Amino acid sequence: MRAKALLAVLFIGIILFWTVEDMPAFGDPQAPATQYTGRLYVDSVLPDIGIDNIVTAILVSYRGFDTLGEVMVIFTAGLAVTLLLRRGGRL
């Protein structure tokens, strides 16, 4: 059983190292994500949304549901910590 697990880990590790070689360098201005996606956001934010700040427009409009989910998780964690600390003070 251990031999199969070791073989699976080695196989997946080889595949991961093999695919990392094809990735563009960090911060490469010629990377596809930098050339196409970034330019798409810069060109379409103002006509689509009407907000001058690109970061705010992306967070509020394009990623609104994701941001709302993150805010709900942080709010719930903060509320739970507050309730736990308040309860501890009464004992």
Side-chain angles (χ1 to χ4, degrees):
M1 189 66 177
R2 285 184 143 184
K4 287 181 184 179
L6 180 62
L7 185 63
V9 168
L10 288 175
F11 180 70
I12 291 172
I14 290 170
I15 290 174
L16 288 174
F17 278 112
W18 184 37
T19 56
V20 165
E21 290 178 2
D22 292 334
M23 290 179 60
F26 182 75
D28 182 15
Q30 301 302 321
T34 307
Q35 287 188 335
Y36 306 110
T37 309
R39 179 58 43 201
L40 176 72
Y41 281 135
V42 169
D43 292 339
S44 64
V45 160
L46 191 58
D48 285 352
I49 302 166
I51 299 174
D52 291 332
N53 189 337
I54 294 173
V55 175
T56 303
I58 290 171
L59 287 177
V60 172
S61 183
Y62 292 130
R63 295 186 43 126
F65 289 116
D66 185 35
T67 304
L68 179 65
E70 292 170 2
V71 168
M72 290 302 297
V73 167
I74 292 171
F75 175 75
T76 305
L79 185 64
V81 168
T82 302
L83 289 174
L84 286 173
L85 290 176
R86 227 174 124 192
R87 181 177 176 197
R90 289 185 187 172
L91 293 175

